[in-house]
Amino acid sequence: MQLRDEMNKKNDDREIAFSAGLMQSGSGYVGPFTTEITLTYKNIFTNIGNAYNPVTGIFTAPLKGAYMFRISVFGHGGATATASLYKNGEQVVVAHDSQAQGTLNSSNGVVLILEVGDVVYVRLWSGTRIFDNQNNVNTFSGFLLFPLREQELCRM
C-alpha cells in the first residue's frame, strides 16, 4: 500500500495541464494596440498543477520536460488577427489570418523542451485585433507530455 501511495504522489507531480479561453463573460474585441501585448486568458477550463497564471497570462514550467502548447485566434474581416507564442522572450510560432471580410481563424501548436522556471505566453501583434465571446474562439492550452532527466537531454 505504501508503494502505491508513493507512485501516486510521483504521478501527481507530473500532472500538468491547462486550457483557457480569452474572456470570462460577454463579448468584444481585444486590440488593436500600438505595441504588442501579452494576452491574459481569463476563462480557465483546466489548470491542473496551477502552472498557468490567469492574471499575467504566463505559464511557468514547474518541471523539466517536453510540453505541448496550442493557440487559436479568431477575428472579423477588415482587421488582421495575429498572435505569437513565446518561450522566454523568443517568438516560437504564429497564428495569423487576414482577409477583407468574413471571419478570421488560425491556430498553431508546438512541442517545447522546458526547464524548471521557463515561461510560455501569447502576445497579440501590434495593429491587430481579435474577437471573443461565449464560444471561446481564442484559446491557449498546454500540457506536459513527459518529464525529462538531465541525461535524456544529452541524446538530443
Side-chain angles (χ1 to χ4, degrees):
M1 189 68 139
Q2 189 176 14
L3 179 59
R4 181 179 291 158
D5 290 342
E6 285 179 33
M7 287 176 64
N8 284 340
K9 184 176 181 337
K10 266 188 176 177
N11 286 336
D12 287 348
D13 294 342
R14 296 178 184 182
E15 294 175 351
I16 302 163
F18 77 96
S19 188
L22 196 59
M23 293 185 169
Q24 277 185 308
S25 62
S27 64
Y29 291 99
V30 176
F33 299 102
T34 57
T35 61
E36 281 192 356
I37 63 148
T38 299
L39 293 171
T40 54
Y41 296 81
K42 305 268 188 211
N43 190 14
I44 306 300
F45 307 122
T46 306
N47 196 7
I48 299 166
N50 294 311
Y52 174 72
N53 183 333
V55 175
T56 64
I58 296 173
F59 172 86
T60 304
L63 189 65
K64 179 190 292 188
Y67 291 80
M68 174 70 196
F69 292 96
R70 184 145 197 88
I71 59 172
S72 65
V73 297
F74 177 87
H76 292 122
T80 302
T82 309
S84 296
L85 184 133
Y86 282 79
K87 173 189 170 186
N88 296 333
E90 297 291 324
Q91 181 178 293
V92 181
V93 295
V94 176
H96 166 81
D97 196 4
S98 178
Q99 55 190 18
Q101 56 188 5
T103 58
L104 310 174
N105 289 286
S106 184
S107 65
N108 210 335
V110 65
V111 173
L112 296 174
I113 303 301
L114 300 181
E115 299 285 337
V116 173
D118 282 352
V119 294
V120 177
Y121 50 92
V122 179
R123 293 180 63 84
L124 182 69
W125 284 24
S126 66
T128 70
R129 77 175 184 194
I130 53 179
F131 177 83
D132 204 34
N133 58 24
Q134 71 279 0
N135 295 321
N136 300 300
V137 288
N138 291 279
T139 58
F140 177 31
S141 302
F143 56 91
L144 175 67
L145 291 168
F146 49 87
L148 292 171
R149 294 183 303 272
E150 200 63 46
Q151 61 269 26
E152 291 178 84
L153 291 176
C154 295
R155 291 187 299 192
M156 299 170 142

